Amino acid sequence: MTAKAICPACGEWVSLSGQPKLGQFVTCAPCETELEVVEVDPVELDWAYYDDIDDEDWDEEWDDEDEDDDWDDEG
């Protein structure tokens, strides 16, 4: 069985083989956008969400001391 859903990025139909599952990741062939199954009856896709950065890593990555503030130097 093949299910189909519309890509939210380009509006084209995306085919999903087998029974779609919540959280399943697929790629839209026409626009190559990574998508996630967010509903299964009827099948609905949304942009993929990856929760691979936890809050502690995010704070370290965007530390205020690392910001380049040369833009406000006058000389």
Side-chain angles (χ1 to χ4, degrees):
M1 178 181 155
T2 300
K4 290 186 175 186
I6 295 183
C7 173
C10 70
E12 295 292 325
W13 285 100
V14 177
S15 295
L16 295 95
S17 60
Q19 182 65 32
K21 299 189 182 349
L22 283 177
Q24 177 182 346
F25 294 102
V26 296
T27 301
C28 175
C31 72
E32 299 181 358
T33 300
E34 291 188 48
L35 304 166
E36 182 176 355
V37 176
V38 295
E39 292 288 336
V40 291
D41 190 20
V43 178
E44 184 178 336
L45 301 172
D46 202 353
W47 286 270
Y49 174 75
Y50 298 100
D51 191 17
D52 59 351
I53 299 178
D54 62 23
D55 292 337
E56 188 173 309
D57 291 338
W58 180 260
D59 290 341
E60 289 175 13
E61 186 175 333
W62 294 101
D63 190 354
D64 289 340
E65 293 177 15
D66 293 337
E67 287 184 19
D68 182 14
D69 56 347
D70 291 337
W71 59 272
D72 64 352
D73 291 344
E74 303 253 342

